[in-house]
Amino acid sequence: HFPEFVLNDANGKEFDSKQIKGKKTLVTFWSLTCGFCTDMLDDLREWSKTKDAHEPDLLLLSSGDAKENIELGLNSKIVLDEKREVSKKLAMEGTPSSILVDENGKIVSQVAVGATQIWALLGKKK
């Protein structure tokens, strides 16, 4: 199961991991300084704004400056995992990497590393 945690989001509000229950979610480990993240940002931004209702929500586990994270322009919740506690529990080491979590909070995929594998999790080719 997806680990329980309480961290602040990029807006300074408390985020409890239980908030993702009830909706399939693509949990993505991100870094502001990662070139591979930057390379997929436009596609991710577009997907997060135009995805269908049946597609997963996006939850970004990031770190660094809150304002810079907000300026990514993603239509998603961005949680600041400064100490990489959650990412480590999920065995997500590289950025970007993602897992799919179902509506019951169960992890339903292997860790996907890199844009190609992440889009494959969503059934998309980029």
Side-chain angles (χ1 to χ4, degrees):
H1 266 76
F2 192 66
E4 290 189 12
F5 65 86
V6 176
L7 291 168
N8 284 338
D9 68 17
N11 293 310
K13 293 188 178 125
E14 196 173 85
F15 178 86
D16 187 318
S17 59
K18 292 179 185 132
Q19 288 175 244
I20 71 167
K21 284 208 172 168
K23 181 77 173 110
K24 208 170 181 183
T25 304
L26 179 73
V27 180
T28 302
F29 178 38
W30 193 263
S31 171
L32 292 172
T33 58
C34 160
F36 295 111
C37 295
T38 305
D39 288 348
M40 79 175 290
L41 181 58
D42 286 341
D43 287 335
L44 196 62
R45 192 181 290 131
E46 181 66 21
W47 176 77
S48 76
K49 289 180 179 168
T50 62
K51 65 187 178 63
D52 296 331
H54 71 277
E55 292 185 276
D57 281 349
L58 175 63
L59 171 66
L60 223 63
L61 297 173
S62 191
S63 60
D65 185 70
K67 188 170 181 264
E68 283 182 47
N69 276 288
I70 291 168
E71 288 170 355
L72 292 172
L74 291 167
N75 185 21
S76 68
K77 184 64 77 176
I78 300 173
V79 174
L80 301 179
D81 184 14
E82 293 295 346
K83 296 179 183 166
R84 309 253 189 260
E85 294 167 35
V86 180
S87 312
K88 286 177 188 162
K89 286 180 187 173
L90 296 168
M92 291 198 288
E93 297 296 325
T95 54
S97 55
S98 298
I99 56 163
L100 274 174
V101 179
D102 73 9
E103 48 283 333
N104 299 312
K106 185 177 180 216
I107 297 169
V108 293
S109 76
Q110 298 292 321
V111 175
V113 180
T116 303
Q117 286 186 21
I118 292 169
W119 291 121
L121 272 186
L122 295 169
K124 300 189 178 303
K125 286 195 174 196
K126 290 283 177 190

